[in-house]
Amino acid sequence: MAELFTIGDPIRDTKAQSGPLQERWEARRFSARLINPANRRGLSVIIVGTGLAGASAAATLGEAGYQIKSFCYQDSPRRAHSIAAQGGINAAKNYRNDGDSVRRLFYDTVKGGDYRSRESNVYRLAEVSSAIIDQCVAQGVPFARDYGGLLDTRSFGGVQVSRTFYARGQTGQQLLLGAYQALERQVAAGSVEVHTRHEMLDLIVIDGKARGIVVRDMVSGTIETHLADAVVLATGGYSNVYHLSTNAVGCNTTAIWRAHRKGALFANPCFTQIHPTCIPVSGEHQSKLTLMSESLRNDGRIWVPREAGDDRDPREIPDGERDYYLERRYPAFGNLVPRDVASRAAKNQCDAGRGVGPGGRGVYLDFADAITRLGRPAIEEKYGNLFDMYRKITDEDPYQVPMRIYPAVHYTMGGLWVDYDLESSIPGLFVVGEANFSDHGANRLGASALMQGLADGYFILPNTISDYFARNPGTKAVSGSHAEAVKAADAVRARINRFLTINGDRSVDSFHQELGSIVWEHCGMERNADGLQHAIGLIRDLKEEFWRNLKVTGVNEELNQTLERAGRVADFFELAELMCIDAFHRSESCGSHFRSESQTEDGEALRDDESFAYVAAWQFGGANAPPTLHKEILEYENVELTQRSYK
């Protein structure tokens, strides 16, 4: 196989702060230049995405006086995928008096990410976490409360304290409604302009700075250019490259991938998270998978039959013939080990023939003990909507029969590279939430996604974007007639025309399904060098067929979902290849990236800190040209790099 990539110059985060960890964020806030309120009214910002990160950023920047244009491809900002988050949001408030603190949340997050995240970023995230809860309570988010009326909490994987605030199994929905209300308040005030059913198809870069986007009106097909003084991407993750994931079917990578092609570095693309508690695949007819909240592991016990091939009704298998394998292997954390550990353990049980359900691709999540101990009403109060969802999908009653679960692709830790200010390698392009790589390392701990999205949007970006404007005063106004804007729009039209004129024999979905199978098989829960090289060859061959044999029906000047999917899948092909290259180059195991060549004697992930303690930031090399790897060395001054252990 030809050279897969080249090595470029190392990079560093020039906005990173030095000094005591506890003082770095305050130091950066003080050193960041300010824009006075009167001048903010003359500055405009485009924000793409209306999930927790995008909605909170638009609401906060609008409140500050900036002129905001907000874009989403859904028919309402409320339909952003953040609404699907179930279990909770972390904050270091220590309401349970169980030893929690900002430093412990920081440590748990760095350790959970297998020491592949920046100390400064993670500590800042832990530091502002408490303010997020206060903000959301003030907005009226109906967090669960205990008998005395105080906010209730529960535990999530990878921690030994109870720091996760929740709203039954609908936490993401309730938080998004709070952010949406704040956004709509600014719409009414005239500082935010929302454009629904518009999909970003390219980034406009003028004089080396991000100055706008090209969008397609998804109803009329009109190609529009929108310009501003800065652009913020809050478009979520790219798990749908696997075709089957817990993400909504519409979730895609196009916004960040188009920015990558314009020069934005893409960091750690192979770091994708596998969630351990999802409803198993039921057949090839599926377009997505269903997540069952990790919070269920607070009271549910995970087990498989001790004997391979035991297909008895689980209620007929006595306790002595069950293997509660997480409790056995990881006694300190039990069923609450991090997601990557729980996912690999479930896969190993199924590979050994002890899996349950169709095809042996499942393990049991059993609530019988919890119902006996707490009573059914208590379980209904905590998890009722999740149990109802499971019953509707599987036609099985989890109050009577254990749930069947299996790992599935969920969150992506990779994303566009950003500095401490959340600014990408393209000046004026900021990236927030799951769309950036910054806080989770090689594995996201549960209940941290909502925390990062709201931290970025409410508290971090509003403090850092002003510094960009202050450092670039008097930015020249540009219009849609600017040569670069016209060039970007013409490129979008040409690409759309190409999709419509290939006139082959295969559907978009058939290509997506085949691509997803390749990536899942070779760059999923477990990877190896031979498989990754094989996958790269398969992806390239399939991509060539895609551009030769794709069939897109309809025309551009109408609602055309097949055309929409064609553009997204075309970008998934390029991303999938980079993911496999990134996974191939990183020959260690860490977090959710498990290389079979690099494991301990008992099958755990084995890191190589001497060779790989860095962020892998990739530069687009051009069509059919190898990408360039830039390394950002990770420095650890406040935690010791040790082999992760949850035993």
Side-chain angles (χ1 to χ4, degrees):
M1 183 175 289
E3 184 180 42
L4 293 178
F5 63 92
T6 61
I7 301 292
D9 295 332
I11 61 169
R12 55 185 292 267
D13 178 3
T14 58
K15 312 284 182 53
Q17 303 294 292
S18 58
L21 190 64
Q22 299 86 344
E23 299 175 8
R24 292 177 185 176
W25 175 228
E26 186 59 35
R28 179 58 189 141
R29 290 177 64 195
F30 183 75
S31 65
R33 302 180 188 179
L34 302 179
I35 301 292
N36 80 58
N39 289 346
R40 291 177 210 151
R41 292 193 293 270
L43 293 168
S44 58
V45 183
I46 285 172
I47 300 179
V48 186
T50 58
L52 288 179
S56 60
T60 308
L61 293 176
E63 181 83 41
Y66 297 103
Q67 296 302 304
I68 309 299
K69 282 188 177 182
S70 171
F71 293 83
C72 66
Y73 65 75
Q74 296 91 348
D75 57 2
S76 167
R78 291 175 299 174
R79 294 177 66 85
H81 188 61
S82 298
I83 203 169
Q86 298 169 347
I89 176 171
N90 289 329
K93 279 186 170 291
N94 195 29
Y95 281 175
R96 293 292 185 91
N97 196 29
D98 56 1
D100 201 11
S101 64
V102 168
R103 188 170 185 86
R104 189 172 296 279
L105 174 53
F106 156 73
Y107 174 75
D108 287 344
T109 305
V110 172
K111 177 184 176 183
D114 220 348
Y115 306 97
R116 291 295 177 263
S117 51
R118 296 173 180 154
E119 281 190 337
S120 293
N121 288 67
V122 177
Y123 193 89
R124 176 176 65 183
L125 180 63
E127 189 177 359
V128 304
S129 64
S130 293
I132 297 171
I133 304 302
D134 297 338
Q135 170 90 1
C136 294
V137 169
Q139 290 173 336
V141 173
F143 286 120
R145 294 179 180 269
D146 63 19
Y147 181 77
L150 300 177
L151 295 181
D152 199 9
T153 55
R154 55 192 177 196
S155 295
F156 260 58
V159 304
Q160 292 177 301
V161 297
S162 183
R163 67 162 65 104
T164 304
F165 295 78
Y166 65 98
R168 213 177 184 194
Q170 307 167 347
T171 312
Q173 178 179 354
Q174 300 303 327
L175 291 172
L176 185 60
L177 287 173
Y180 171 73
Q181 290 173 154
L183 172 66
E184 286 300 304
R185 179 175 178 271
Q186 295 308 310
V187 172
S191 61
V192 176
E193 185 180 295
V194 174
H195 298 261
T196 60
R197 305 305 303 274
H198 282 71
E199 183 169 22
M200 173 182 162
L201 296 181
D202 210 348
L203 178 73
I204 298 172
V205 179
I206 297 174
D207 297 330
K209 300 185 178 85
R211 293 301 306 272
I213 59 175
V214 180
V215 299
R216 178 178 179 269
D217 183 323
M218 297 164 66
V219 177
S220 68
T222 304
I223 304 302
E224 305 172 1
T225 57
H226 293 267
L227 298 156
D229 297 301
V231 177
V232 178
L233 299 185
T235 52
Y238 49 87
S239 288
N240 277 353
V241 68
Y242 290 89
H243 183 251
L244 288 181
S245 79
T246 65
N247 283 12
V249 173
C251 294
N252 62 83
T253 191
T254 291
I256 58 174
W257 191 257
R258 296 286 106 191
H260 174 59
R261 289 177 63 98
K262 284 294 180 74
L265 299 178
F266 204 117
N268 300 337
C270 78
F271 283 170
T272 57
Q273 180 173 75
I274 313 297
H275 197 294
T277 54
C278 299
I279 297 178
V281 176
S282 60
E284 293 186 358
H285 64 282
Q286 284 182 264
S287 59
K288 77 176 297 294
L289 298 175
T290 303
L291 169 70
M292 300 305 296
S293 171
E294 181 184 329
S295 64
L296 294 169
R297 293 198 276 155
N298 274 273
D299 292 300
R301 301 180 71 191
I302 297 174
W303 63 275
V304 293
R306 288 191 180 275
E307 296 297 324
D310 188 341
D311 59 359
R312 287 179 289 173
D313 185 306
R315 293 168 292 186
E316 297 177 0
I317 301 176
D319 204 63
E321 297 178 30
R322 302 177 178 185
D323 182 10
Y324 297 92
Y325 57 90
L326 292 178
E327 298 173 26
R328 170 175 55 82
R329 291 195 62 182
Y330 309 101
F333 285 76
N335 294 298
L336 286 172
V337 292
R339 291 175 176 178
D340 60 321
V341 176
S343 295
R344 282 197 300 273
K347 179 181 184 296
N348 291 339
Q349 294 296 327
C350 294
D351 290 348
R354 290 187 286 274
V356 300
R361 288 296 173 190
V363 298
Y364 289 125
L365 178 59
D366 195 340
F367 282 83
D369 288 353
I371 292 173
T372 299
R373 184 178 75 254
L374 302 173
R376 176 166 172 163
I379 298 300
E380 288 179 340
E381 182 179 355
K382 294 172 72 174
Y383 310 113
N385 64 309
L386 298 172
F387 278 49
D388 291 344
M389 183 171 66
Y390 183 88
R391 182 170 56 240
K392 289 177 181 178
I393 292 173
T394 65
D395 199 29
E396 297 175 2
D397 184 357
Y399 292 106
Q400 303 294 328
V401 183
M403 293 181 181
R404 287 178 294 106
I405 58 171
Y406 192 71
V409 178
H410 182 49
Y411 188 91
T412 53
M413 285 77 66
L416 292 187
W417 182 91
V418 293
D419 61 21
Y420 192 62
D421 282 2
L422 304 181
E423 188 175 9
S424 75
S425 53
I426 299 177
L429 177 66
F430 293 80
V431 191
V432 294
E434 190 180 358
N436 73 35
F437 87 100
S438 65
D439 293 355
H440 305 300
N443 174 60
R444 179 177 71 86
L445 289 184
S448 290
L450 306 185
M451 177 174 59
Q452 186 211 345
L454 292 179
D456 286 357
Y458 280 138
F459 300 108
I460 299 173
L461 180 69
N463 280 289
T464 60
I465 198 170
S466 64
D467 187 68
Y468 170 75
F469 289 133
R471 285 186 288 106
N472 294 273
T475 301
K476 184 179 179 181
V478 292
S479 69
S481 61
H482 190 284
E484 290 299 325
V486 172
K487 180 180 177 182
D490 286 346
V492 167
R493 292 188 183 94
R495 192 165 187 257
I496 289 173
N497 185 62
R498 186 178 180 189
F499 288 135
L500 293 167
T501 55
I502 295 173
N503 202 29
D505 299 323
R506 285 190 63 176
S507 69
V508 177
D509 289 345
S510 73
F511 280 108
H512 192 185
Q513 190 170 25
E514 186 173 349
L515 173 66
S517 297
I518 294 170
V519 184
W520 171 251
E521 180 67 25
H522 300 292
C523 196
M525 267 196 286
E526 186 172 320
R527 308 106 183 248
N528 61 62
D530 291 340
L532 290 164
Q533 286 188 300
H534 181 59
I536 292 167
L538 293 176
I539 292 168
R540 289 174 175 175
D541 291 343
L542 189 62
K543 181 173 69 172
E544 188 276 331
E545 184 186 354
F546 174 87
W547 287 108
R548 174 175 47 82
N549 198 29
L550 175 68
K551 178 69 173 181
V552 175
T553 56
V555 297
N556 174 57
E557 291 75 23
E558 64 180 8
L559 177 65
N560 190 338
Q561 292 183 315
T562 303
L563 176 60
E564 295 164 17
R565 290 197 295 270
R568 297 166 187 171
V569 173
D571 291 328
F572 278 142
F573 271 110
E574 296 183 357
L575 169 64
E577 183 174 333
L578 183 62
M579 288 171 62
C580 292
I581 291 172
D582 186 40
F584 175 78
H585 111 274
R586 190 177 286 273
S587 57
E588 65 168 355
S589 290
C590 61
S592 290
H593 171 93
F594 189 78
R595 283 288 290 264
S596 57
E597 306 97 323
S598 182
Q599 54 183 301
T600 63
E601 291 182 359
D602 55 354
E604 301 292 348
L606 181 62
R607 292 196 323 271
D608 181 356
D609 293 329
E610 290 189 8
S611 303
F612 294 103
Y614 59 75
V615 176
W618 296 90
Q619 180 182 352
F620 183 67
N624 302 314
T628 299
L629 171 63
H630 301 275
K631 301 177 182 180
E632 179 199 337
I633 302 301
L634 293 168
E635 298 177 355
Y636 292 93
E637 302 172 0
N638 298 274
V639 295
E640 180 183 358
L641 277 70
T642 59
Q643 181 66 30
R644 272 199 311 168
S645 174
Y646 294 93
K647 296 183 178 181

